[in-house]
Amino acid sequence: MIGESVPMLDSLARVTGTLDYMINLRLPNMLVGKIVRSQSPHAKLLKVDITNALQVPGVIAILTGADLGANAFYGAGIKDQGVVAVDRVRYVGEPIAAIAAESLDAAEEAELLIDIEYDELPAVFDAQAAIQAGAPTLHEKFPNNIFKHAKLRHGDLDVAFAEADEIFEDTFTSPPAQQASLEPHVSAAQWDGERLTIWTASQAPFMVRKTLSEIFGIAPEAVRVIVPPLGGGYGGKGHIRIEPLAAAMARKTNGRPVKFALSRAEEFVTVTKHAASITLKTGVKRDGTFTARQVTLYWNGGAYADASPLLVPAGMVRSVGPYRIPAVHVDSYGIYTNLPPAGAYRGAMSSQTTWAYESQMDIIARKMGWDPLEFRMKNLFVSGDRFATGEELRDVHFVECLEASAKGLGAPSSPALLPEGEGKRGRGYGVMMKSTVATSKSQARLKLTDDGMVTLFTSTVEMGQGGHTTMAQITAEALGVPLSAIKIIGPDTAITPFDSTTSASRSTSMMGNAVVAACGSMRKKLFELSAPLLETPPDQLRTKNGFVVANETSISFGDILKRNNLNELNEAGEYSTSLGLDPETGQGVSTPHWHQGAGAAEVKVDTETGRVTILRYSAASFAGRVVNPRMAQLQNDGNVIFGLGPALMEEIVFDGGQPTNPNLADYSIPSIRDIPVELTSICIESDEGEMHGIGEMTLPPVAPAIANAIEDAIGVRIKDLPITAEKILRALREKSQP
Amino acid sequence: MQINDSFVINAPQDKVWEFLFDISKLYQCVPGIESAEAMDDKTYRGKLVIKVGPIRSEFGGTVTLTEVEAPNRIAGMLEGDDKSSASSVKATFTGTLTPVDGGTEAAFQVEANLRGRLAQFGGPVITATAKKLTAEFAKNLRAQLE
């Protein structure tokens, strides 16, 4: 069953439009929620007067900062974000009030009647400007606006740089971007006395439960979090977003449920990809080896820390790259600015860091006269090497990933030079190395009923990635039952067991292993119960296709239960890792396994217009053991297409803190017309056969592979994403001027 | 957001200046203007209807002149809001008249801070709208002065 390309369990419902996405949720007596947002990037709130708004027919209740208790603040590590703003706003789009009404029309009319008075404060939007002396402070607890500084110290940097023949120093930037899930953030909440039920488009239901229980001072069990299938997440739904606001609003509606579904414009001010400026100083020897690397990362966290206290240290680990470098120092800064909060974005932090280290690989290779592919091959980590954190690398296959990508491009196109007027052609490569979550836990519960049906209770979120299909396949294989006998329930924190999060490509590995453990317990139980019936010792039994099989005889799972007078059997499994780094030195173990991916691009650049066409793209990721080849390939391909966005076109443009392109007309994401003419991908497996997640691996190499191919084609180097036609033309013009 | 534009009127500089400072005459040239009145010699109050894409907004607000250097240059501030689209605008501006061959060149620079729903249309749409309104204004002005 593992290794088979079965269709996604809900594929028919998806293509016929009958899948009940979160956004389709309708509850009896449900009210419409509308958020009233700040128009100022930084101001004291002098007045929030809702008197007139409350008079609008159909308006049931309005939530403001005055309704909030002292605990109404949240954030991963730093609780700085209010359910709504209390006396100060820090970005354009920050929620100031919320309205619950019978209709959206009534809510929108009321929105215009809320009288808000601001006392403007100076604002700062750029991360490096925000840490200069005299910059406005966003949060008094962090006067210099640096809320997180993660450090890695490995080896003697000065000595190592002194040994280098050449030292390269380059800065690469990435702008803020949108996760742009097809389905926006949606949450609906309902109170029954002191019990709260929330339906929400979240990748982390148990994080939602914990946060809401803390905010409202109720037991975690009094909060029920239900997550219907999501229309995409990409990290944007990985942390707390509008759930506290929806729950606080519903507290004022006398038990009526209220649902908030954000507009596209609101999505742009709810969470973004971190804008980043990354400086790499790298020492190399003439023999093609590295001596040292110093990385300085400035992450624009926006106005609230959100998930950044976890992501900034992850970005530190993910900034070094997959190469043997004896001495490495990293300083990774999370910085407050008056922009919307930043959070995870598919290939979290690696999308920005891979852009930097893989671009610099080609800069170095070209300057030193080396072949970029050979330079990489010579230095890539292999199993048994030690990373800059001191941890030993096992089961790493960067070389195979890069080889497969390069091979996938095929022989160089002929002729290398296109006919006059058709531009120039070039090739480039990228490799990425990403950690997953160091400390996390997954639990699974299995129920077998006497009709032979198996129900898997899991809090893995189905967001289109096929997580539930993967878990069903793992169950089928590990328990020995047909796929058709398996039903998946969850996430619903009232009935499905704990899981940390569906993110960082961790589910196939973490939840997959929890499911395997639960199946192991279930098999053991079935062997014990059937051994007397089959007159065979338990250790000589096996399972197959819903039966326990002895040498000569067999009995179905259902019959085992019936013969033992049992209606059902319940077994649980758990898998967890508890790893981490020393906060001062960054030494320790950063991840249970490494995400590994590579990409190779062949591009055509029109030197008259600057337009880049991706002629061929070939991607490879290391999957350990592939559960479903077809779905894995879709993840690989989808990552490449997703990655074309930040590489070539995506950037949220802010003007005085106001996003000026918060819609999918002015903000382009890749369409079918942007897809490479030829796109291939491959998943690499190993004999050790651990199941890895593959949701992100082929994304981060896309931008640097394209930039490297552009330099190969026309000899210009772009260091600031996205690589627009304008930037290419400008670079060409600068190059042609003596 | 910066909006800069200029146009040439086939009329002498003094005449253009005089015309622009006569609010009753100016009123006839500004596209979409609904009302305009002088509060004093430095402050004006008015109402303007602007269509941006599918949104029709009605901005009410004040213009305050901070510098008047006849007949060459003015500078000032503008503040207004549109209740129906929950949008507001604050801007500083300078305008100059320069004699050129065959008439007077009128140029202006606006540094605008637009907020609310209208702001979401993005710089390109707003500046394109501003250019269109300027062209219309110049055409009206020429009809009166040339």
Side-chain angles (χ1 to χ4, degrees):
Chain A
M1 194 50 70
I2 287 183
E4 274 182 42
S5 291
V6 304
M8 266 179 82
L9 297 181
D10 51 12
S11 51
L12 193 66
R14 281 176 193 274
V15 297
T16 54
T18 54
L19 190 72
D20 276 325
Y21 287 104
M22 176 62 210
I23 199 158
N24 299 332
L25 182 82
R26 298 273 180 281
L27 298 165
N29 258 331
M30 190 167 82
L31 297 168
V32 179
K34 173 87 189 144
I35 300 173
V36 182
R37 296 175 179 276
S38 171
Q39 294 196 0
S40 166
H42 201 185
K44 283 183 190 159
L45 281 179
L46 298 181
K47 182 168 92 177
V48 181
D49 185 351
I50 59 171
T51 319
N52 293 333
L54 276 172
Q55 305 308 314
V56 175
V59 169
I60 303 300
I62 297 176
L63 173 79
T64 68
D67 295 305
L68 303 180
N71 293 327
F73 292 86
Y74 59 94
I78 301 170
K79 292 185 180 181
D80 55 4
Q81 190 163 10
V83 173
V84 291
V86 178
D87 48 16
R88 187 164 158 190
V89 288
R90 294 180 175 87
Y91 66 94
V92 173
E94 180 167 356
I96 292 176
I99 301 160
E102 300 284 358
S103 70
L104 189 59
D105 284 350
E108 285 182 344
E109 193 184 337
E111 182 191 3
L112 299 175
L113 296 174
I114 296 182
D115 190 6
I116 300 169
E117 227 173 81
Y118 304 93
D119 180 16
E120 300 282 342
L121 297 167
V124 63
F125 308 107
D126 175 76
Q128 277 154 288
I131 59 176
Q132 302 304 316
T137 293
L138 272 86
H139 299 269
E140 272 60 42
K141 210 175 149 195
F142 301 95
N144 61 1
N145 292 320
I146 299 174
F147 60 83
K148 187 75 189 178
H149 176 195
K151 284 176 271 189
L152 191 149
R153 301 287 180 262
H154 184 78
D156 190 326
L157 208 60
D158 291 339
V159 170
F161 273 125
E163 288 169 359
D165 294 318
E166 291 279 347
I167 293 173
F168 292 83
E169 190 166 339
D170 300 282
T171 298
F172 302 90
T173 68
S174 304
Q178 237 302 297
Q179 289 80 358
S181 297
L182 196 54
E183 182 183 47
H185 288 81
V186 189
S187 295
Q190 183 170 28
W191 287 85
D192 177 7
E194 283 301 287
R195 299 187 71 83
L196 167 66
T197 303
I198 183 150
W199 296 259
T200 186
S202 170
Q203 296 172 235
F206 278 87
M207 194 189 300
V208 171
R209 184 175 86 152
K210 181 170 183 282
T211 303
L212 294 179
S213 90
E214 287 167 0
I215 289 174
F216 297 103
I218 55 177
E221 294 72 25
V223 181
R224 180 177 185 183
V225 183
I226 299 170
V227 180
L230 309 189
Y234 312 121
K237 295 165 184 168
H239 281 262
I240 308 302
R241 300 281 179 249
I242 57 170
E243 293 88 358
L245 182 144
M249 181 76 260
R251 234 184 178 183
K252 299 193 71 179
T253 58
N254 284 324
R256 291 184 68 177
V258 55
K259 176 179 160 189
F260 289 83
L262 301 190
S263 69
R264 187 57 61 185
E266 288 181 292
E267 286 289 289
F268 279 75
V269 292
T270 297
V271 61
T272 70
K273 176 188 183 185
H274 289 85
S277 170
I278 301 174
T279 300
L280 293 173
K281 186 179 168 191
T282 306
V284 291
K285 282 187 174 174
R286 269 184 213 102
D287 65 3
T289 59
F290 291 98
T291 66
R293 170 164 278 175
Q294 184 177 18
V295 192
T296 312
L297 306 110
Y298 299 102
W299 302 102
N300 190 330
Y304 296 98
D306 198 280
S308 295
L310 308 173
L311 292 169
V312 169
M316 171 190 80
V317 170
R318 296 168 191 174
S319 72
V320 180
Y323 305 103
R324 281 183 296 277
I325 308 175
V328 176
H329 284 200
V330 185
D331 290 279
S332 182
Y333 298 98
I335 299 161
Y336 286 129
T337 67
N338 295 104
L339 292 184
Y345 176 96
R346 197 174 189 183
M349 314 319 249
S350 282
S351 286
Q352 295 94 328
T353 58
T354 306
W355 164 241
Y357 61 69
E358 282 303 275
S359 291
Q360 200 190 35
M361 282 302 281
D362 269 45
I363 292 176
I364 295 171
R366 276 170 201 287
K367 173 81 190 300
M368 302 300 283
W370 303 327
D371 176 72
L373 193 58
E374 280 170 27
F375 176 42
R376 285 183 171 82
M377 289 296 187
K378 184 182 167 86
N379 288 287
L380 279 170
F381 279 130
V382 295
S383 294
D385 283 339
R386 284 190 182 275
F387 186 58
T389 53
E391 68 204 273
E392 190 185 326
L393 302 170
R394 48 181 190 85
D395 211 15
V396 298
H397 301 267
F398 298 107
V399 171
E400 291 96 314
C401 285
L402 182 56
E403 270 173 355
S405 301
K407 201 174 150 209
L409 275 193
S413 303
S414 174
L417 285 175
L418 297 169
E420 188 68 29
E422 283 193 31
K424 290 181 177 168
R425 204 181 263 161
R427 288 186 165 199
Y429 307 93
V431 188
M432 82 104 198
M433 176 181 193
K434 179 174 173 289
S435 53
T436 182
V437 186
T439 295
S440 75
K441 184 162 80 179
S442 290
Q443 295 177 330
R445 185 160 66 82
L446 277 177
K447 182 170 85 172
L448 172 66
T449 44
D450 63 7
D451 56 359
M453 294 300 287
V454 177
T455 307
L456 172 65
F457 295 86
T458 175
S459 295
T460 287
V461 176
E462 179 54 70
M463 46 192 179
Q465 86 281 38
H468 283 189
T469 306
T470 302
M471 294 311 146
Q473 283 185 264
I474 294 171
T475 306
E477 168 112 352
L479 190 57
V481 285
L483 202 60
S484 57
I486 298 167
K487 192 180 161 194
I488 310 253
I489 301 271
D492 176 346
T493 61
I495 52 174
T496 55
F498 181 84
D499 181 43
S500 297
T501 168
T502 302
S503 60
S505 302
R506 65 177 282 288
S507 296
T508 302
S509 162
M510 299 297 293
M511 185 59 78
N513 278 310
V515 169
V516 168
C519 290
S521 301
M522 184 65 85
R523 275 156 45 104
K524 190 163 171 266
K525 202 60 168 282
L526 287 169
F527 292 155
E528 283 167 15
L529 291 170
S530 59
L533 304 172
L534 296 168
E535 296 175 345
T536 309
D539 60 359
Q540 290 175 26
L541 297 172
R542 60 199 170 86
T543 54
K544 195 185 173 190
N545 222 13
F547 287 79
V548 171
V549 182
N551 272 342
E552 305 276 305
T553 54
S554 67
I555 181 168
S556 76
F557 290 178
D559 286 342
I560 297 171
L561 266 62
K562 285 179 196 147
R563 295 278 295 273
N564 283 280
N565 288 321
L566 294 167
N567 293 325
E568 61 181 59
L569 269 184
N570 284 282
E571 290 295 333
E574 180 176 313
Y575 191 77
S576 65
T577 56
S578 184
L579 308 166
L581 300 176
D582 179 88
E584 285 307 309
T585 63
Q587 299 299 290
V589 181
S590 55
T591 180
H593 61 250
W594 291 95
H595 291 154
Q596 305 156 46
E602 182 175 287
V603 306
K604 183 178 81 177
V605 187
D606 185 325
T607 47
E608 277 180 27
T609 64
R611 183 183 161 84
V612 176
T613 307
I614 316 298
L615 299 171
R616 296 180 187 176
Y617 196 96
S618 161
S621 68
F622 176 63
R625 185 180 178 201
V626 174
V627 177
N628 185 316
R630 178 71 189 134
M631 291 200 316
Q633 196 204 341
L634 288 174
Q635 285 287 319
N636 269 355
D637 293 355
N639 269 309
V640 173
I641 295 162
F642 196 106
L644 293 172
L648 297 172
M649 56 195 92
E650 293 187 40
E651 173 174 12
I652 308 178
V653 179
F654 289 95
D655 178 17
Q658 164 77 49
T660 62
N661 56 347
N663 57 70
L664 296 181
D666 295 313
Y667 180 98
S668 296
I669 59 173
S671 81
I672 195 78
R673 298 184 62 192
D674 300 302
I675 292 173
V677 180
E678 284 177 39
L679 171 60
T680 57
S681 68
I682 181 170
C683 276
I684 290 167
E685 297 183 275
S686 77
D687 297 336
E688 286 93 321
E690 280 180 26
M691 295 177 291
H692 284 212
I694 37 100
E696 305 163 288
M697 283 85 244
T698 58
L699 195 165
V702 173
I706 291 173
N708 293 339
I710 290 170
E711 183 166 24
D712 185 42
I714 56 169
V716 303
R717 169 58 53 182
I718 307 294
K719 293 182 176 176
D720 305 297
L721 287 178
I723 311 165
T724 58
E726 274 173 272
K727 286 180 191 167
I728 288 173
L729 279 184
R730 207 175 300 137
L732 276 173
R733 201 171 304 146
E734 276 167 25
K735 192 185 152 216
S736 68
Q737 281 165 359
Chain B
M1 184 192 310
Q2 279 209 347
I3 305 168
N4 303 329
D5 209 347
S6 65
F7 51 89
V8 175
I9 307 283
N10 191 7
Q13 188 182 353
D14 284 345
K15 201 176 158 201
V16 177
W17 178 273
E18 215 172 277
F19 186 90
L20 291 176
F21 263 81
D22 184 336
I23 196 153
S24 64
K25 289 179 180 162
L26 182 68
Y27 182 82
Q28 294 164 27
C29 297
V30 177
I33 199 155
E34 299 265 294
S35 70
E37 54 177 325
M39 311 298 288
D40 54 49
D41 61 346
K42 292 267 163 65
T43 319
Y44 301 85
R45 197 160 71 183
K47 209 174 254 182
L48 197 66
V49 172
I50 301 174
K51 278 177 126 179
V52 182
I55 292 189
R56 178 190 184 275
S57 352
E58 194 177 302
F59 276 88
T62 55
V63 173
T64 310
L65 299 180
T66 51
E67 277 177 53
V68 179
E69 188 198 316
N72 300 316
R73 183 184 139 86
I74 55 163
M77 296 178 315
L78 181 156
E79 251 188 87
D81 61 358
D82 167 40
K83 297 271 185 251
S84 65
S85 71
S87 304
S88 65
V89 64
K90 272 187 193 174
T92 56
F93 63 88
T94 58
T96 51
L97 294 181
T98 318
V100 291
D101 268 357
T104 307
E105 186 191 51
F108 63 87
Q109 294 88 40
V110 181
E111 175 65 54
N113 192 347
L114 188 62
R115 289 175 176 177
R117 262 181 232 171
L118 270 189
Q120 295 169 5
F121 275 95
V125 175
I126 303 291
T127 42
T129 306
K131 291 253 178 213
K132 200 181 104 195
L133 294 178
T134 306
E136 214 173 306
F137 176 62
K139 194 180 131 209
N140 296 343
L141 208 55
R142 283 190 195 109
Q144 297 279 337
L145 281 169
E146 288 179 2

